[in-house]
């Protein structure tokens, strides 16, 4: 069974601080996605990483895929209250695009 | 981008009744769709893979007779929660990958409350 462990599970920080969320697995994934989810809504895709060692930047968000394609990290610089939400990593393997979701990180950015 | 529409967004039903949730791909064809379940403050758990024209594939521990999945067309998959009980109350979300299987599009989710 493929598992994705995310850490931390919950993070409460002050506006302007930096943070990193980790997503780790013992399995290799063909691609890994990061999503953000608001209460009562479906997850919204932030980024997809497919190449080991890949780094992608999306404004204040930096995503990295581990060299062995087993782990990933999400770094947010100068967090804002609008960044508050549930962050989920999800790994895909094979050709069916069946996603296995991580345990989630709930982020609260206080003004 | 592609859109996946889920209906209804909220439903309240009495214990013992059945509820059907629809998942439609609006501007693309989806031979495969996925159904997830999410409990409060938890992550998404894959329930089953819905395959157009064939039987769904259920994840370990998911009762196929409880959660009936029908994927009768390339744009519609339905999940029916049969004989619902309060413990079935949850947030159900569907997704469909694009044709090239490079991105998954999610529905808005359905909040099911069984009373």
């Amino acid at each position: 069974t493929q598992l994705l462990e995310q850490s931390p599970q919950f993070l409460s920080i002050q506006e302007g601080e930096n943070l990193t969320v980790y997503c780790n697995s013992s399995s290799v994934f063909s691609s890994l996605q990061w999503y953000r989810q608001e209460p009562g809504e479906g997850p919204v895709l932030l980024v997809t990483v497919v190449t080991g060692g890949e780094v992608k930047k999306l404004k204040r968000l930096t995503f990295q895929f581990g060299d062995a394609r087993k782990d990933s990290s999400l770094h947010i610089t100068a967090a804002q209250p609008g960044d508050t939400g549930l962050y989920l990593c999800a790994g895909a393997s094979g050709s069916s695009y069946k996603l296995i979701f991580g345990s989630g990180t709930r982020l609260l950015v206080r003004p | 981008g592609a859109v996946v529409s889920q209906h209804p967004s909220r439903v309240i039903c009495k214990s013992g009744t059945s509820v059907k949730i629809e998942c439609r791909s609006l501007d693309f064809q989806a031979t495969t769709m996925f159904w997830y379940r999410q409990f409060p403050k938890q992550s998404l758990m894959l329930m089953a893979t819905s395959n157009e024209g064939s039987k769904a594939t259920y994840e370990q521990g998911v009762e196929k007779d409880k959660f009936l999945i029908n994927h009768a067309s390339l744009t519609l998959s339905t999940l029916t929660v049969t004989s619902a009980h309060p413990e079935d109350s949850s947030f159900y979300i569907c997704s469909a990958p694009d044709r090239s299987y490079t991105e998954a599009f999610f529905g808005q989710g359905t909040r099911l409350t069984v009373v």
Side-chain angles (χ1 to χ4, degrees), chain A residues 37 88 96-98 102 106, chain B residues 34 38 41 43 46 101-102:
Chain A
Q37 186 183 22
L88 298 160
S96 68
Y97 219 78
K98 182 170 74 171
R106 194 165 297 277
Chain B
F34 301 99
Q38 186 176 30
K41 298 186 179 181
S43 186
L46 180 65
Y101 290 94
T102 56

Side-chain angles (χ1 to χ4, degrees), chain B residues 3-53:
Chain B
V3 176
V4 172
S5 178
Q6 203 172 325
H7 178 80
S9 57
R10 288 177 177 267
V11 59
I12 300 173
C13 71
K14 290 185 176 181
S15 187
T17 62
S18 296
V19 173
K20 180 184 286 187
I21 303 170
E22 294 186 348
C23 181
R24 293 181 184 274
S25 55
L26 296 185
D27 53 2
F28 68 106
Q29 294 181 334
T31 56
T32 302
M33 291 186 177
F34 301 99
W35 287 95
Y36 296 85
R37 181 174 181 176
Q38 186 176 30
F39 290 106
K41 298 186 179 181
Q42 293 188 23
S43 186
L44 280 70
M45 289 190 61
L46 180 65
M47 297 175 65
T49 302
S50 174
N51 305 299
E52 188 271 332

Side-chain angles (χ1 to χ4, degrees), chain A residues 70-93:
Chain A
K70 292 182 179 181
D71 54 84
S72 181
S73 64
L74 158 61
H75 182 79
I76 301 179
T77 303
Q80 299 176 0
D83 296 327
T84 294
L86 177 65
Y87 289 83
L88 298 160
C89 64
S93 57

Side-chain angles (χ1 to χ4, degrees), chain B residues 81-95:
Chain B
V81 182
T82 63
S83 187
H85 290 286
E87 57 265 31
D88 298 325
S89 298
S90 190
F91 194 56
Y92 294 87
I93 309 175
C94 68
S95 78

